[in-house]
Amino acid sequence: MFGRMNRRYDVVVVGGGPAGLAAALGALDSGVSRVLVVEREPEAGGILRQCIHAGFGLHHFREELTGPEYAERFVTQVMDRDIDVAPHSYVTGLAVDSSGHRLVRVLSERGGLATVECRSVVLAMGCRERTRGAVRIPGTRPAGIFTAGLAQKLLNLDGYLPGRRAVILGSGDIGLIMARRLTLEGCKVEGVFELMPYSNGLTRNVVQCLDDYGIPLHLSTTVTRIHGRDRIEAVTVAPVDETGRPDAARAWDVPCDTLLLSIGLIPENELSESLGIALDVVTGGPKVDSTLATSLPGVFACGNVLHVHDLVDFVTEEALRAGRFAGEHARQIRRPRDAIALVPGANVRYCLPHTLSADRPHTVYMRAKTRMSPCILRVGNLLERRLRFVVPAEMIHLTIQPELLERFYEDRLQIDLLPVDGGGVP
Amino acid sequence: MTARQEQHYVCISCPIGCPLRLVHEGDQIIEVEGQECNRGAKYARQEFTDPRRTFSTTVPITGAVYGRLPVKLSAPVPRQAIPAAMAAIRLLSAEAPVRLGQVLLRDVAGVAGVDVVACRTMDRVMITPSDDPSSAT
Ligand SMILES: Cc1cc2nc3c(=O)[nH]c(=O)nc-3n(C[C@H](O)[C@H](O)[C@H](O)COP(=O)(O)OP(=O)(O)OC[C@H]3O[C@@H](n4cnc5c(N)ncnc54)[C@H](O)[C@@H]3O)c2cc1C
Ligand code: SF4
């Protein structure tokens, strides 16, 4: 029930975005009955509520939905089942008592500080955006600098147009989508500036969000200085060489009243860190075993808090699994410990989960370090698959069947992405 | 007789993004090159004869948890109709409650069969102190 929070649950889910909602459904499917979702915003749905563009659900629903539509399908399912959702509530901490129960500390607008007892916890707090501090642009610190996602929230939820003349730093999908959105709202977008020699966003977004509206994309170019006292007035941009160093001689100024930063996302790991959960330095999220359990017993993770996803459909898939395993854990079902470490090899930036077992199929998610077409995906000596095309922006997924691991006696399985003769890095 | 000309597109039907070259004489398509599969040729032909796009935006809403209601087009419109569609949507406003899929405007910008529809349900919420008391129900 929306707005209800009891004192005792089987599973408590932290965060009511697509990951949290699917985890709650997964937990219920596993046979537990008392599930709570804690969400700090006034309603569930997470980041999808502000992602009003189409492009969600092609895998899960086989149709192209907008973010709010995708979210609503899951909110409705959660409301139809017996799941409690506590809005305006923030999880501030977590402890384990002597009898092995988890105590979740919830700070809520109405109830103040409360402690909720449960057997399993699912972390589904999503991610946050890298800010300017993370890129250290010299110059002044005037108003008018926003992360792209914050500008998206202001515009799409509150109807507040951040400015009239904008520059976008970084070509991630959110930046590209915001370029089109601002243009439609009458804001002039002067250009998108990308440090790398290729766009970090999907080609379809470059075509439909920039090319269609005549917005220039400047590759191998970055913002080197910010001008303006109270409000941003201009930025200096400059081309960069192969090492990423700006060439001041070829720099130019772009007048603007708004700078949007679309320079990447990182898992929201404040809570995980404060709990002493082991994190992966590459993903920025927790290390997890094949049941998506973190290093803290009974605490599971899924969605963008685990690793930043590009497609919500995979968030849903992962979260349903995490919820099911969290539910099993709450019912005291214990699985043997994973015996195989899964490690990234050549051209693999990361792969998840961190460990595998030989008793059931596993879904493995990974990202490439560079663009390759075509290439060979190799899983130890067990499996080779030819892929036509890989890019860092698109997650690769793979199912490893138990038969494959039947006669695998090592404790370490490496995944590589190898070039094919005639292919390689274009 | 018209001379041969060419148009360049990037196929967006899949993440590979093949660069396409479409050769035509006036309205007559002669050939498409550069695609790695058939979808590329289909895409280039569509782009050449009738490029269509869709978009989302928001309209103001009163009595709901947020001040904006996300809306979308029920189907793509010809690309050049986007400014007119956007101008028509700018004149719209809504009042909670609104249902997901509710039609706010039919045949937007004169494109038959393309409607502006709500992308979410927005219930009527109780007025919070920061809201205008005169709009209370
Ligand atoms: C701007 C943007 C554009 C995107 N565009 C697309 C797209 O076009 N297509 C596509 O398929 N995918 C897209 N994605 C990806 C997809 O939407 C996300 O991967 C997905 O929404 C992640 O879901 P999540 O539940 O992990 O995180 P979120 O949706 O971020 O949800 C996390 C929730 O947890 C809550 N929370 C956090 N901390 C706490 C706490 N301590 N206590 C209580 N609640 C807390 C937050 O308020 C939030 O509601 C986009 C992502 C972003 C950021
Ligand atoms: S032509 Fe085929 S392979 Fe090339 S981008 Fe289009 S759909 Fe992909």
Side-chain angles (χ1 to χ4, degrees):
Chain A
M1 194 176 96
F2 190 77
R4 182 173 64 193
M5 189 169 91
N6 295 329
R7 289 276 167 262
R8 205 166 276 153
Y9 287 92
D10 297 310
V11 178
V12 170
V13 180
V14 189
L21 295 172
L25 292 167
L28 221 57
D29 288 343
S30 79
V32 298
S33 57
R34 300 167 306 169
V35 179
L36 171 72
V37 177
V38 184
E39 170 56 55
R40 66 179 168 201
E41 298 289 326
E43 54 178 11
I47 197 92
L48 293 181
R49 296 171 314 134
Q50 68 187 60
C51 298
I52 64 169
H53 58 279
F56 301 83
L58 276 171
H59 293 264
H60 195 81
F61 292 115
R62 306 227 166 267
E63 59 179 306
E64 194 170 18
L65 303 172
T66 62
E69 290 172 309
Y70 190 95
E72 189 156 331
R73 293 203 177 186
F74 282 92
V75 171
T76 310
Q77 281 186 52
V78 163
M79 293 305 156
D80 286 350
R81 310 277 295 268
D82 196 14
I83 295 172
D84 287 351
V85 178
H88 292 295
S89 305
Y90 190 81
V91 171
T92 59
L94 174 67
V96 182
D97 74 6
S98 51
S99 57
H101 286 122
R102 272 117 210 115
L103 304 173
V104 183
R105 266 195 301 281
V106 182
L107 183 63
S108 68
E109 207 172 71
R110 262 192 265 157
L113 196 59
T115 302
V116 177
E117 190 186 295
C118 64
R119 293 182 179 274
S120 313
V121 174
V122 182
L123 303 178
M125 291 93 73
C127 62
R128 71 180 134 168
E129 298 178 275
R130 285 183 206 278
T131 54
R132 191 178 157 209
V135 285
R136 287 184 237 290
I137 308 164
T140 52
R141 296 287 182 273
I145 304 172
F146 305 86
T147 58
L150 175 62
Q152 186 182 47
K153 183 175 185 179
L154 292 172
L155 184 57
N156 293 346
L157 293 187
D158 304 321
Y160 169 78
L161 188 63
R164 296 258 147 231
R165 203 170 178 188
V167 163
I168 299 177
L169 175 61
S171 63
D173 287 311
I174 313 169
L176 300 178
I177 279 161
M178 280 308 289
R180 170 176 65 183
R181 191 71 193 99
L182 289 171
T183 307
L184 283 173
E185 290 294 341
C187 169
K188 171 115 180 71
V189 178
E190 296 292 340
V192 175
F193 297 87
E194 171 57 56
L195 184 67
M196 305 305 284
Y198 51 84
S199 162
N200 274 316
L202 303 174
T203 311
R204 59 176 267 155
N205 284 335
V206 174
V207 173
Q208 297 200 335
C209 300
L210 302 188
D211 299 354
D212 271 5
Y213 295 88
I215 301 167
L217 170 62
H218 301 271
L219 298 173
S220 302
T221 310
T222 193
V223 171
T224 56
R225 197 159 199 94
I226 289 166
H227 308 274
R229 269 207 23 219
D230 300 326
R231 177 83 190 193
I232 183 168
E233 285 163 10
V235 291
T236 303
V237 295
V240 296
D241 61 21
E242 301 81 63
T243 65
R245 226 196 2 244
D247 178 359
R250 285 156 62 213
W252 77 99
D253 285 356
V254 184
C256 60
D257 63 11
T258 303
L259 173 64
L260 294 196
L261 306 174
S262 178
I263 50 182
L265 303 165
I266 31 173
E268 175 66 67
N269 50 25
E270 213 169 284
L271 187 61
S272 321
E273 252 172 0
S274 75
L275 299 175
I277 288 175
L279 299 182
D280 177 324
V281 288
V282 179
T283 59
K287 288 191 173 167
V288 289
D289 70 10
S290 65
T291 66
L292 300 169
T294 69
S295 62
L296 195 63
V299 178
F300 298 76
C302 57
N304 279 358
V305 81
L306 178 57
H307 59 128
V308 175
H309 293 64
D310 38 287
L311 288 181
V312 71
D313 309 68
F314 296 137
V315 170
T316 299
E317 184 282 323
E318 185 179 87
L320 281 168
R321 264 191 297 137
R324 264 193 296 256
F325 287 121
E328 279 188 7
H329 181 270
R331 292 174 54 214
Q332 321 262 334
I333 299 171
R334 297 289 180 266
R335 290 177 181 272
R337 279 177 75 102
D338 291 344
I340 305 160
L342 188 69
V343 292
N347 197 35
V348 178
R349 198 159 81 78
Y350 71 78
C351 48
L352 280 175
H354 294 82
T355 57
L356 297 180
S357 65
D359 62 339
R360 61 199 147 87
H362 294 292
T363 303
V364 171
Y365 287 128
M366 70 196 93
R367 274 187 201 278
K369 279 185 184 157
T370 54
R371 190 184 167 106
M372 293 167 93
S373 80
C375 67
I376 301 277
L377 169 66
R378 196 173 68 189
V379 183
N381 298 324
L382 305 175
L383 177 76
E384 275 196 8
R385 187 170 298 166
R386 191 185 161 94
L387 301 178
R388 280 175 71 192
F389 181 78
V390 298
V391 264
E394 297 221 2
M395 205 157 70
I396 305 164
H397 59 113
L398 168 80
T399 308
I400 297 185
Q401 297 297 343
E403 303 82 70
L404 209 59
L405 296 169
E406 235 163 44
R407 273 186 297 277
F408 183 75
Y409 301 113
E410 291 160 53
D411 55 5
R412 192 173 173 281
L413 186 60
Q414 179 171 314
I415 299 197
D416 301 294
L417 285 167
L418 304 166
V420 184
D421 291 341
V425 188
Chain B
M1 197 188 115
T2 33
R4 284 200 172 190
Q5 287 178 311
E6 54 182 62
Q7 300 290 329
H8 296 264
Y9 305 104
V10 178
C11 179
I12 58 169
S13 310
C14 95
I16 295 182
C18 295
L20 307 175
R21 194 172 72 101
L22 179 144
V23 181
H24 63 103
E25 268 178 31
D27 288 346
Q28 190 77 34
I29 298 170
I30 311 291
E31 60 173 347
V32 181
E33 281 177 9
Q35 68 273 27
E36 268 191 43
C37 77
N38 293 336
R39 281 152 76 197
K42 197 170 159 231
Y43 175 79
R45 285 169 201 279
Q46 177 77 38
E47 281 293 286
F48 181 71
T49 49
D50 180 21
R52 287 193 170 233
R53 294 290 186 271
T54 184
F55 66 89
S56 304
T57 182
T58 64
V59 301
I61 181 166
T62 51
V65 60
Y66 292 102
R68 307 298 290 194
L69 170 71
V71 297
K72 69 169 189 182
L73 304 183
S74 60
V77 293
R79 199 170 57 194
Q80 70 275 13
I82 289 177
M86 193 61 198
I89 295 172
R90 229 177 245 126
L91 302 174
L92 299 177
S93 63
E95 195 187 328
V98 167
R99 278 173 299 104
L100 170 71
Q102 188 171 320
V103 175
L104 302 181
L105 180 66
R106 291 210 183 274
D107 301 337
V108 63
V111 184
V114 179
D115 303 332
V116 177
V117 297
C119 291
R120 60 168 291 180
T121 299
M122 278 187 129
D123 292 329
R124 187 145 194 107
V125 294
M126 278 186 299
I127 301 302
T128 53
S130 61
D131 285 335
D132 180 4
S134 65
S135 66
T137 45

